[in-house]
Amino acid sequence: MNRQLEQLIKVQQIDSKILHLSGTLMKFPARIAASEAPLRESETFLNNVKQKLASLDKKKRDKERELDDAGEKIRKLKARTSDIKTNKEYQALLKEIESVEKERSSIEDEILIVMEEIDISSKRTTAEEAKFKAEKEKIDALRKRLESEKAEVEKELLSVRETREGIAGSIDKEAYDLYVSLIGPCNGLVVTEVKGEICQGCNMNIPPQLFVEIKKNEEIITCPQCRRILFYKNNA
């Protein structure tokens, strides 16, 4: 086989590998982001549970202040007993004290209900924190593995590019310039095989006489249709 053609085939194989590795690298950010999605969902849910617990704690404190206020109000009302002059005033005072005591009792019931809700919410928060921690450990391990895979691909890509430089440097300028000029128009596939008089790049027929010349692999020949550099692989 023509030495230049042979080197161009090698460069094409390397470029195809570079294209594949580069595509793999481009997918890593999305893969890492996708791996972190469950953790973000778990964190959001945990924050919502914590917010509910904080809200219940605040509600309990507010009710406890209301309870203190009611107790203080009752104390002040009872302190007025010595100032009562008539039975009518005394009955009115007792009625007012009774009303505030009912209010205080109602507040105490509300506090008990809130405390039960806090207990349930607290247990749920603890469970969700444990779930989040386990999810985080799993995601951290997955992220570490993906980062390791990414580093390996980057390392391989660097090695492949170094190999390419050595091979490309051995190709005649004219042949290499032709190759480079076709990379864009040919979507990265510049050197391709001919099978059964058909170019594997554009799937168009090759004229019989040209096919005979291509089978010799003695010179650089391009496809009349897509201009790709052609070669013949003798499977025998």
Side-chain angles (χ1 to χ4, degrees):
M1 178 179 284
N2 178 282
R3 173 69 177 172
Q4 297 301 306
L5 180 59
E6 186 177 16
Q7 296 300 83
L8 285 170
I9 292 172
K10 289 181 180 178
V11 167
Q12 176 64 79
Q13 291 171 342
I14 290 174
D15 280 350
S16 295
K17 189 169 186 177
I18 288 174
L19 189 64
H20 171 71
L21 291 173
S22 297
T24 301
L25 274 181
M26 290 176 65
K27 294 176 182 177
F28 273 104
R31 289 179 65 190
I32 292 173
S35 73
E36 294 173 343
L39 183 63
R40 289 194 296 271
E41 292 176 4
S42 179
E43 185 176 25
T44 298
F45 190 76
L46 174 59
N47 288 336
N48 290 337
V49 172
K50 285 182 174 180
Q51 287 175 6
K52 183 178 180 180
L53 179 58
S55 177
L56 287 170
D57 282 332
K58 182 180 181 302
K59 185 177 181 180
K60 178 175 174 286
R61 290 194 301 271
D62 291 341
K63 289 298 177 182
E64 286 173 340
R65 279 193 292 270
E66 289 180 22
L67 186 64
D68 290 340
D69 291 342
E72 180 63 17
K73 191 174 182 180
I74 291 171
R75 187 188 66 77
K76 289 179 179 180
L77 286 171
K78 287 182 176 180
R80 288 168 47 193
T81 305
S82 59
D83 298 330
I84 299 299
K85 304 297 183 180
T86 65
N87 185 58
K88 184 177 181 181
E89 289 177 343
Y90 183 70
Q91 292 300 320
L93 180 62
L94 288 178
K95 189 173 182 181
E96 188 174 357
I97 291 173
E98 183 182 1
S99 176
V100 177
E101 285 180 339
K102 285 182 180 179
E103 180 184 345
R104 183 173 65 176
S105 178
S106 177
I107 294 171
E108 287 174 340
D109 290 341
E110 289 178 1
I111 289 175
L112 288 175
I113 293 172
V114 172
M115 287 176 68
E116 290 178 359
E117 291 178 345
I118 287 174
D119 183 56
I120 295 171
S121 184
S122 180
K123 289 178 181 178
R124 188 176 186 184
T125 299
T126 301
E128 288 302 324
E129 284 176 337
K131 182 180 177 182
F132 175 76
K133 183 180 178 182
E135 188 71 35
K136 188 176 186 302
E137 289 175 353
K138 184 175 74 172
I139 297 304
D140 285 344
L142 178 57
R143 187 191 299 113
K144 186 176 180 180
R145 179 173 65 80
L146 288 174
E147 291 290 354
S148 178
E149 288 180 15
K150 182 172 177 284
E152 287 298 317
V153 173
E154 288 173 337
K155 182 180 178 181
E156 184 178 2
L157 186 57
L158 181 62
S159 175
V160 170
R161 282 175 172 161
E162 289 176 352
T163 301
R164 186 192 188 284
E165 287 181 9
I167 297 174
S170 67
I171 302 174
D172 290 343
K173 185 178 185 305
E174 183 179 353
Y176 186 70
D177 286 347
L178 172 63
Y179 176 87
V180 172
S181 70
L182 293 171
I183 289 177
C186 295
N187 295 318
L189 181 61
V190 179
V191 184
T192 187
E193 185 182 356
V194 175
K195 289 183 179 179
E197 298 187 13
I198 295 176
C199 168
Q200 297 304 296
C202 64
N203 294 316
M204 299 297 289
N205 288 324
I206 301 296
Q209 186 55 43
L210 184 61
F211 180 58
V212 172
E213 295 301 318
I214 292 170
K215 288 178 69 175
K216 296 177 182 179
N217 288 327
E218 293 179 352
E219 57 183 310
I220 295 174
I221 300 174
T222 59
C223 173
Q225 307 296 331
C226 66
R227 297 182 59 222
R228 286 181 171 87
I229 298 171
L230 304 175
F231 70 95
Y232 178 77
K233 184 186 292 184
N234 189 342
N235 294 323

